[in-house]
């Protein structure tokens, strides 16, 4: 048996339970990972509330969690590249990583690089691949100015750094308490809210070439207003406006592979990519973890440690 997060109906954080369930067994090409850390996501909130029932219906009782890092404790037949005792990170698409153990396809794992903390390893997948895809979508080059909304959040904090690595000037929209962190990463911070267009123009000091929206709610329109070509606007949230104006919608699914996770893990282990870990909660505090997340102002990642 093992402890795992479950919910039996759609609803608020109160429907989340930590239950004793049967420990799964790995099938062909799969390993069983003892989870050391697993990040949580706003997308899981929407699924749990039933807001994405049309696209991602939950089958009850539902588990949750995609991100994971841990130790391989069992291997199924025909597993390639991993053995019992290996330290790994990666992902599952079976809503299952918020648990003591999770079965993972071997192709969705990479070795944990030396020096990468469990918390960072366990929270890289969704935010990392989404940031990677968002930056790829707008293709920044040296000399470009790129604006990122939600610049200090889970996805945004990585997107600003990856855009900087491409040689672009990056303007990050964030609350004032996150401005020092952004400045330390070479990002020009700007407060969002009324008058943001003027502040962005002033901070950019010239044309805005690309826009990465990680928040939704009007930022695609702001990008158009700032003169950004639709092909260089990417949103991970506002698909409707993106369709109206012709903006891109690259996200997690566009970069969901072990190769990207491995590259991000190497950068983080070498200190070339900082993954801010806002808070770490034991699995038993899963409700508190989501209460934190649902405040909407997380700087970086909130992580569960079974
Ligand atoms: N399409 C995909 O593949 C995909 C993948 C991952 C996530 N997502 C979605 O992307 C969004 C961001 O995810 P996340 O994990 O980065 O979330 P997060 O870590 O919870 O970050 C939320 C961020 O929103 C910022 N924010 C709050 N109010 C704002 C406003 N009015 N204007 C601009 N920014 C504001 C906060 O900034 P301050 O704290 O600085 O105020 C915070 O940094 C979520 O809606 C999530 O569901 C989509």
């Amino acid at each position: 048996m093992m402890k795992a997060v479950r919910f039996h109906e759609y609803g608020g954080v109160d429907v989340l339970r930590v239950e004793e369930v049967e420990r799964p067994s790995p099938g062909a090409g799969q390993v069983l990972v003892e989870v050391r850390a697993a990040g949580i996501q706003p997308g899981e909130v929407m699924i749990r509330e039933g807001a994405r029932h049309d696209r991602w219906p939950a089958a009850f009782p539902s588990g949750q969690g995609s991100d994971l890092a841990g130790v391989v404790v069992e291997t199924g037949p025909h597993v390639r590249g991993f053995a019992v005792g290996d330290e790994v990170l990666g992902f599952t698409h079976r809503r299952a990583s918020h648990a003591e153990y999770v079965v993972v396809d071997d192709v969705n794992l990479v070795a944990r690089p030396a020096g990468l903390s469990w918390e960072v390893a366990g929270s890289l997948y969704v935010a990392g691949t989404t940031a990677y895809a968002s930056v790829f979508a707008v293709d920044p080059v040296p000399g470009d100015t790129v604006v990122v909304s939600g610049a200090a959040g889970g996805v945004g904090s990585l997107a600003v750094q990856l855009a900087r690595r491409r040689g672009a000037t990056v303007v990050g929209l964030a609350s004032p308490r996150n401005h020092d962190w952004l400045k330390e990463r070479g990002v020009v911070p700007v407060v969002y809210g009324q008058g943001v267009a003027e502040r962005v123009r002033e901070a950019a000091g010239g044309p805005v070439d690309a826009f990465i929206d990680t928040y939704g709610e009007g930022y695609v329109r702001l990008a158009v207003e700032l003169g950004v070509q639709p092909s260089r606007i990417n949103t991970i949230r506002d698909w409707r406006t993106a369709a109206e104006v012709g903006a891109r919608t690259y996200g997690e699914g566009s970069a969901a592979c072990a190769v990207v996770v491995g590259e991000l893990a190497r950068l983080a282990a070498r200190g070339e990519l900082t993954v801010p870990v806002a808070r770490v909660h034991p699995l038993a505090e899963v409700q508190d973890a989501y209460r934190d997340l649902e405040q909407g102002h997380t700087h970086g990642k909130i992580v569960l440690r079974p």
Side-chain angles (χ1 to χ4, degrees):
M1 299 298 281
M2 67 165 187
K3 289 189 169 51
V5 174
R6 290 282 182 273
F7 57 99
H8 295 256
E9 58 183 322
Y10 289 132
V13 286
D14 296 345
V15 302
L16 292 172
R17 304 267 177 276
V18 177
E19 297 183 347
E20 285 283 330
V21 301
E22 202 169 326
R23 188 169 121 166
S25 296
Q30 297 179 326
V31 305
L32 184 68
V33 175
E34 185 178 22
V35 180
R36 295 290 169 83
I40 70 171
Q41 324 291 340
E44 287 157 355
V45 176
M46 288 191 278
I47 292 174
R48 188 238 299 145
E49 290 177 339
R52 300 311 314 273
H53 181 77
D54 52 339
R55 191 142 181 222
W56 295 300
F60 300 116
S62 175
Q64 62 176 24
S66 312
D67 292 7
L68 63 99
V71 180
V72 174
V73 291
E74 199 182 327
T75 58
H78 314 304
V79 164
R80 283 176 292 181
F82 297 99
V84 169
D86 285 354
E87 296 184 350
V88 294
L89 68 142
F91 60 98
T92 172
H93 284 140
R94 296 187 190 88
R95 293 180 194 159
S97 69
H98 296 166
E100 290 177 318
Y101 297 89
V102 59
V103 164
V104 189
D105 297 348
D106 60 1
V107 292
N108 293 346
L109 289 173
V110 295
R112 180 170 77 124
L116 191 69
S117 72
W118 283 119
E119 287 84 359
V120 169
S123 55
L124 255 186
Y125 166 65
V126 172
T129 56
T130 307
Y132 184 98
S134 299
V135 172
F136 180 89
V138 305
D139 195 20
V141 294
D144 277 351
T145 296
V146 182
V147 179
V148 179
S149 63
V155 177
S157 63
L158 303 182
V160 293
Q161 295 176 75
L162 295 174
R164 283 289 296 143
R165 288 180 65 80
R166 298 276 207 109
T169 297
V170 178
V171 175
L173 307 184
S175 294
R177 68 174 177 285
N178 292 319
H179 285 197
D180 285 347
W181 185 88
L182 289 166
K183 280 187 210 158
E184 284 160 18
R185 268 128 209 110
V187 177
V188 184
V190 166
V191 178
Y192 55 78
Q194 200 167 14
V196 66
E198 263 327 297
R199 289 193 293 279
V200 168
R201 282 193 191 94
E202 197 178 314
V208 176
D209 303 288
F211 200 112
I212 294 171
D213 170 37
T214 78
Y215 188 74
E217 310 226 353
Y219 286 107
V220 173
R221 296 259 177 237
L222 172 67
V224 172
E225 185 190 331
L226 290 167
V228 182
Q229 291 302 309
S231 63
R232 300 199 70 195
I233 301 169
N234 192 72
T235 179
I236 59 171
R237 197 72 180 82
D238 188 356
W239 299 284
R240 182 176 302 174
T241 312
E244 284 167 20
V245 307
R248 293 176 184 249
T249 55
Y250 286 28
E252 171 199 341
S254 317
C257 67
V259 174
V260 172
V261 175
E263 179 59 20
L264 296 169
R266 265 190 299 276
L267 289 176
R270 290 202 299 251
E272 294 175 35
L273 181 72
T274 303
V275 182
V277 174
R279 270 173 299 283
V280 180
H281 290 270
L283 194 65
E285 290 177 9
V286 63
Q287 292 190 356
D288 292 334
Y290 278 94
R291 277 190 196 100
D292 275 357
L293 184 78
E294 290 174 37
Q295 300 297 311
H297 294 283
T298 306
H299 173 36
K301 295 300 302 175
I302 296 174
V303 187
L304 295 173
R305 294 240 15 202

